Structure formats: C-alpha cells, structure tokens
Amino acid sequence: MELSVIFAFWSVSILFVLTPGADWAYAILAGIEGKFVSTAVTGLILGHLIAILCVAAGVGSLLNHFPILLTAMTVLGAGYLLWMGVHLLLQPATISHTDGQNQSLVNAKAWLIKGVGISGLNPKVLLLFFALLPPFIHPKMALSPTVQIMMLGMIHLLSCAVVYMSVGVAAKKLLRTRPTAVKIVSRISGGLMVLIALILVVGQV
C-alpha cells in the first residue's frame, strides 16, 4: 500500500483513539488498580480486533439486510456499559494493595474479559470501522481488500495500544497515592460510561 494512504488512514484513526470514551475510562480504572494495565489494554485491543475482523469478513452487508441485529447489538452494548458505569458510581474504585498470586490471576482474567466487552460490544466501534476502513481500500491493488483492511486495522490497533497504555500508566503514576482523587476519577469514568450507554439507547428510539 502507498505510504500516503497509510498516513491518511492513521491521521483519521488516531483522532478517534485520542478522543476520550469508554476505552479511556477503562484504561484509567486499570491504572488505578496498578497491576492490570497491560491486561486491560489487551482486552480492549482484542475487542477492536473483533470489530476489524467483522469488517474484513463483510459483516456490514449482513447488518444492512438485517438491521434488527445492529439494534440488538446496540442494546446489548449499552446495557453492558450501563452496568459497568452504575457499578462504578455506587462502588468507586479504591487503591488495592493485595498481592495474592491466585487472586491476581483471577483479577487479570476479569480485567481481560471486561476489556473485550467494553470495546467488542460497543456498536459505535464496529460502525466506525465500517465507515473508516472502506474509503482507504483500493480494489485494483495487488493486495486483496481483506488484506488491506487487516493491514490498516493493525495500524489502528498499534495506535490503540500505545495511547491506552499511556493513559493507564499515567493514571497509575498520578492517582496511586491519591485515594480521594481515585474515587473522583472512578466516578467520572462511571458517569462517562452511563452517558455513552444512554446516548446509544436514545439513538435507537
């Protein structure tokens, strides 16, 4: 692929990644916990990868023929974000000092699964890729459209990994010694998730 096409795609993609949303909120929460930043970010990346694979597989045409599937996915994703957000509002995150190996393994799996859910169940991520990727695909190139989508998708995933890790590490350094700030930021993150969930639901009405 031409470097100009790759750079143009990255310029659009990075703007999306740099826009605070549910992914940012989740990375910040992982930073507060301290030990699970990389695990949480991996979950977020896997969720984005699922969306990219769906685009590469041509799921967009399926959603166009059966819009009820998109509605169902939107409601499911909104419900998940709403549950996460309300939980954070009622029980804000606290600084954890537990070091048990078994407990750490369980928590790491939970952070990974929740990360996949946060981004993988977000229909806006899937719709973004449907709108973002196709304009940069050239059917007459030697590479197949599927390969081109995957290549551009990997660039997007790399940007996600760098930005979300930076957000999580910054939260860890700035908040780990400030328990009051931890509660405030955690409630803000929860409120952001609730707001996004409500926007998703209202968009279906």
Side-chain angles (χ1 to χ4, degrees):
M1 300 183 70
E2 296 181 0
L3 289 178
S4 58
V5 174
I6 294 175
F7 180 76
F9 169 79
W10 178 81
S11 299
V12 176
S13 170
I14 195 64
L15 291 177
F16 167 74
V17 179
L18 290 174
T19 302
D23 289 359
W24 271 56
Y26 192 64
I28 290 172
L29 292 176
I32 292 173
E33 279 291 327
K35 297 182 293 184
F36 306 111
V37 176
S38 59
T39 306
V41 171
T42 299
L44 294 173
I45 298 303
L46 288 176
H48 282 269
L49 177 60
I50 290 172
I52 293 170
L53 291 175
C54 287
V55 176
V59 175
S61 59
L62 180 64
L63 294 178
N64 287 332
H65 285 89
F66 303 98
I68 188 64
L69 294 177
L70 180 59
T71 300
M73 186 174 66
T74 299
V75 173
L76 180 63
Y80 186 77
L81 284 176
L82 184 62
W83 174 78
M84 289 279 295
V86 171
H87 179 75
L88 283 173
L89 288 174
L90 297 177
Q91 298 180 347
T94 56
I95 298 174
S96 173
H97 298 288
T98 58
D99 296 317
Q101 184 174 358
N102 292 335
Q103 187 65 29
S104 295
L105 181 60
V106 172
N107 287 340
K109 291 180 180 179
W111 279 97
L112 179 69
I113 294 172
K114 288 180 180 179
V116 174
I118 288 288
S119 57
L121 291 177
N122 188 347
K124 294 300 183 183
V125 173
L126 189 61
L127 290 175
L128 174 85
F129 289 137
F130 285 143
L132 181 62
L133 286 168
F136 296 94
I137 303 304
H138 297 277
K140 295 184 179 180
M141 286 186 61
L143 297 175
S144 69
T146 300
V147 173
Q148 293 180 59
I149 288 174
M150 292 305 300
M151 288 180 62
L152 293 176
M154 293 305 106
I155 294 173
H156 173 80
L157 292 182
L158 180 60
S159 297
C160 287
V162 172
V163 172
Y164 296 156
M165 277 297 297
S166 299
V167 169
V169 170
K172 178 180 179 180
K173 290 182 178 297
L174 295 175
L175 299 175
R176 285 288 287 172
T177 58
R178 299 173 175 85
T180 302
V182 164
K183 288 187 177 181
I184 294 174
V185 172
S186 128
R187 284 200 169 106
I188 291 175
S189 298
L192 180 61
M193 290 182 182
V194 170
L195 178 61
I196 294 173
L198 294 177
I199 291 175
L200 289 174
V201 172
V202 170
Q204 298 302 308
V205 176

mmCIF file of all heavy atoms in Angstrom, residues 70-72 74-75 78 124 197-205:
data_model
loop_
_atom_site.group_PDB
_atom_site.id
_atom_site.type_symbol
_atom_site.label_atom_id
_atom_site.label_comp_id
_atom_site.label_asym_id
_atom_site.label_seq_id
_atom_site.Cartn_x
_atom_site.Cartn_y
_atom_site.Cartn_z
ATOM 1 N N LEU A 70 -28.214 -5.129 14.375
ATOM 2 C CA LEU A 70 -27.470 -3.977 14.870
ATOM 3 C C LEU A 70 -28.167 -3.372 16.083
ATOM 4 O O LEU A 70 -27.516 -2.964 17.046
ATOM 5 C CB LEU A 70 -27.326 -2.931 13.765
ATOM 6 C CG LEU A 70 -26.552 -1.656 14.146
ATOM 7 C CD1 LEU A 70 -25.141 -1.997 14.596
ATOM 8 C CD2 LEU A 70 -26.535 -0.679 12.987
ATOM 9 N N THR A 71 -29.491 -3.323 16.017
ATOM 10 C CA THR A 71 -30.250 -2.802 17.155
ATOM 11 C C THR A 71 -30.011 -3.650 18.398
ATOM 12 O O THR A 71 -29.787 -3.125 19.495
ATOM 13 C CB THR A 71 -31.758 -2.785 16.830
ATOM 14 O OG1 THR A 71 -31.982 -1.948 15.692
ATOM 15 C CG2 THR A 71 -32.560 -2.252 18.016
ATOM 16 N N ALA A 72 -30.055 -4.978 18.217
ATOM 17 C CA ALA A 72 -29.828 -5.885 19.342
ATOM 18 C C ALA A 72 -28.422 -5.709 19.909
ATOM 19 O O ALA A 72 -28.229 -5.694 21.132
ATOM 20 C CB ALA A 72 -30.043 -7.332 18.901
ATOM 21 N N THR A 74 -26.585 -3.025 19.717
ATOM 22 C CA THR A 74 -26.509 -1.718 20.358
ATOM 23 C C THR A 74 -27.086 -1.772 21.763
ATOM 24 O O THR A 74 -26.500 -1.250 22.723
ATOM 25 C CB THR A 74 -27.275 -0.672 19.522
ATOM 26 O OG1 THR A 74 -26.676 -0.580 18.228
ATOM 27 C CG2 THR A 74 -27.223 0.695 20.204
ATOM 28 N N VAL A 75 -28.243 -2.408 21.909
ATOM 29 C CA VAL A 75 -28.883 -2.526 23.220
ATOM 30 C C VAL A 75 -28.005 -3.343 24.165
ATOM 31 O O VAL A 75 -27.847 -2.996 25.347
ATOM 32 C CB VAL A 75 -30.280 -3.164 23.090
ATOM 33 C CG1 VAL A 75 -30.871 -3.454 24.465
ATOM 34 C CG2 VAL A 75 -31.209 -2.250 22.299
ATOM 35 N N ALA A 78 -24.992 -1.201 25.115
ATOM 36 C CA ALA A 78 -25.406 -0.129 26.015
ATOM 37 C C ALA A 78 -25.692 -0.671 27.406
ATOM 38 O O ALA A 78 -25.339 -0.056 28.414
ATOM 39 C CB ALA A 78 -26.646 0.569 25.455
ATOM 40 N N LYS A 124 -20.616 1.337 18.278
ATOM 41 C CA LYS A 124 -20.019 2.505 17.651
ATOM 42 C C LYS A 124 -18.628 2.179 17.096
ATOM 43 O O LYS A 124 -18.212 2.734 16.085
ATOM 44 C CB LYS A 124 -19.928 3.659 18.654
ATOM 45 C CG LYS A 124 -21.280 4.200 19.119
ATOM 46 C CD LYS A 124 -22.103 4.735 17.967
ATOM 47 C CE LYS A 124 -23.412 5.325 18.458
ATOM 48 N NZ LYS A 124 -24.272 5.803 17.360
ATOM 49 N N ALA A 197 -23.830 4.950 27.307
ATOM 50 C CA ALA A 197 -24.899 3.951 27.222
ATOM 51 C C ALA A 197 -26.232 4.614 26.892
ATOM 52 O O ALA A 197 -26.986 4.127 26.033
ATOM 53 C CB ALA A 197 -24.999 3.170 28.532
ATOM 54 N N LEU A 198 -26.541 5.724 27.558
ATOM 55 C CA LEU A 198 -27.798 6.424 27.312
ATOM 56 C C LEU A 198 -27.855 6.984 25.891
ATOM 57 O O LEU A 198 -28.903 6.943 25.234
ATOM 58 C CB LEU A 198 -27.983 7.551 28.326
ATOM 59 C CG LEU A 198 -28.166 7.107 29.783
ATOM 60 C CD1 LEU A 198 -28.275 8.317 30.702
ATOM 61 C CD2 LEU A 198 -29.404 6.221 29.914
ATOM 62 N N ILE A 199 -26.727 7.500 25.399
ATOM 63 C CA ILE A 199 -26.672 8.019 24.032
ATOM 64 C C ILE A 199 -26.947 6.897 23.026
ATOM 65 O O ILE A 199 -27.657 7.087 22.038
ATOM 66 C CB ILE A 199 -25.315 8.679 23.763
ATOM 67 C CG1 ILE A 199 -25.175 9.961 24.580
ATOM 68 C CG2 ILE A 199 -25.141 8.974 22.270
ATOM 69 C CD1 ILE A 199 -23.819 10.617 24.477
ATOM 70 N N LEU A 200 -26.378 5.719 23.291
ATOM 71 C CA LEU A 200 -26.601 4.579 22.405
ATOM 72 C C LEU A 200 -28.069 4.196 22.372
ATOM 73 O O LEU A 200 -28.624 3.914 21.302
ATOM 74 C CB LEU A 200 -25.748 3.388 22.873
ATOM 75 C CG LEU A 200 -24.238 3.495 22.655
ATOM 76 C CD1 LEU A 200 -23.537 2.301 23.300
ATOM 77 C CD2 LEU A 200 -23.903 3.571 21.176
ATOM 78 N N VAL A 201 -28.716 4.169 23.542
ATOM 79 C CA VAL A 201 -30.126 3.768 23.622
ATOM 80 C C VAL A 201 -31.006 4.820 22.948
ATOM 81 O O VAL A 201 -31.901 4.485 22.164
ATOM 82 C CB VAL A 201 -30.555 3.563 25.083
ATOM 83 C CG1 VAL A 201 -32.062 3.346 25.167
ATOM 84 C CG2 VAL A 201 -29.822 2.371 25.683
ATOM 85 N N VAL A 202 -30.757 6.108 23.238
ATOM 86 C CA VAL A 202 -31.559 7.177 22.645
ATOM 87 C C VAL A 202 -31.437 7.164 21.123
ATOM 88 O O VAL A 202 -32.408 7.442 20.395
ATOM 89 C CB VAL A 202 -31.115 8.554 23.198
ATOM 90 C CG1 VAL A 202 -31.773 9.692 22.420
ATOM 91 C CG2 VAL A 202 -31.464 8.660 24.677
ATOM 92 N N GLY A 203 -30.272 6.792 20.631
ATOM 93 C CA GLY A 203 -30.072 6.733 19.183
ATOM 94 C C GLY A 203 -30.913 5.673 18.498
ATOM 95 O O GLY A 203 -31.111 5.712 17.271
ATOM 96 N N GLN A 204 -31.428 4.732 19.273
ATOM 97 C CA GLN A 204 -32.253 3.669 18.705
ATOM 98 C C GLN A 204 -33.744 4.011 18.751
ATOM 99 O O GLN A 204 -34.569 3.305 18.174
ATOM 100 C CB GLN A 204 -32.021 2.355 19.464
ATOM 101 C CG GLN A 204 -30.603 1.838 19.384
ATOM 102 C CD GLN A 204 -30.155 1.605 17.963
ATOM 103 O OE1 GLN A 204 -30.823 0.926 17.186
ATOM 104 N NE2 GLN A 204 -29.011 2.185 17.600
ATOM 105 N N VAL A 205 -34.085 5.069 19.479
ATOM 106 C CA VAL A 205 -35.505 5.429 19.622
ATOM 107 C C VAL A 205 -36.001 6.163 18.374
ATOM 108 O O VAL A 205 -35.324 7.014 17.849
ATOM 109 C CB VAL A 205 -35.700 6.324 20.865
ATOM 110 C CG1 VAL A 205 -37.148 6.774 20.958
ATOM 111 C CG2 VAL A 205 -35.268 5.585 22.104
#
